[in-house]
Amino acid sequence: MKKNIISVLIVLLVVIALPSCKKLEESYTSGTEQMTADQLFDQGKYEEAIKEYQKAIDTDADGVLHLKLARAYEKIGKIELALENYKIAKEISDFLTNDANNKIEELEKIKEIQN
């Protein structure tokens, strides 16, 4: 009887822990891609960084990643895509609102001048 209870508890623990393990794996993958993207960005390889930021976002979207993606788009002159990602960053993360709003205003002025 005691062995059956222990077996059931072990099965329950495994079932409960599996989703957490998957989330940890996704978080690690996203973090690795973000580190690669940050290094590429620092080296001025913005288009390659964009690909890595996008992979990280596909795994685990968060405001900081969208902010960084927006910066990379801005560096290569893709103002519309930069604006779109600054807006997403603002929506996802309250703590990014001021930074994102400042960049949105700045880019909208640039866009206005270009038109």
Side-chain angles (χ1 to χ4, degrees):
M1 178 74 172
K2 192 174 184 180
K3 286 183 182 181
N4 287 341
I5 293 172
I6 292 173
S7 297
V8 168
L9 288 174
I10 289 172
V11 169
L12 283 173
L13 284 173
V14 169
V15 169
I16 292 168
L18 280 177
S20 297
C21 291
K22 181 69 174 160
K23 187 65 178 166
L24 283 173
E25 180 185 344
E26 289 173 357
S27 181
Y28 174 77
T29 302
S30 175
T32 302
E33 290 161 342
Q34 181 177 343
M35 286 179 10
T36 301
D38 289 344
Q39 290 171 345
L40 291 166
F41 184 93
D42 291 342
Q43 295 168 7
K45 298 176 181 177
Y46 305 117
E47 296 205 14
E48 292 174 52
I50 287 168
K51 290 176 187 171
E52 292 300 315
Y53 285 131
Q54 195 59 59
K55 285 182 196 174
I57 287 169
D58 291 344
T59 303
D60 184 25
D62 77 12
V64 172
L65 286 169
H66 279 283
L67 190 73
K68 290 180 175 192
L69 180 60
R71 287 179 44 225
Y73 277 128
E74 189 177 352
K75 289 286 189 180
I76 62 170
K78 294 193 174 184
I79 303 301
E80 285 297 327
L81 290 169
L83 275 168
E84 179 182 321
N85 280 281
Y86 281 124
K87 289 175 183 176
I88 293 169
K90 183 175 88 166
E91 289 174 18
I92 293 176
S93 300
D94 290 338
F95 71 93
L96 296 173
T97 300
N98 289 337
D99 291 339
N101 278 339
N102 291 339
K103 291 304 288 182
I104 290 167
E105 284 180 33
E106 180 184 320
L107 290 179
E108 285 179 343
K109 286 178 185 175
I110 290 170
K111 204 171 107 175
E112 211 173 277
I113 292 169
Q114 289 177 344
N115 292 333

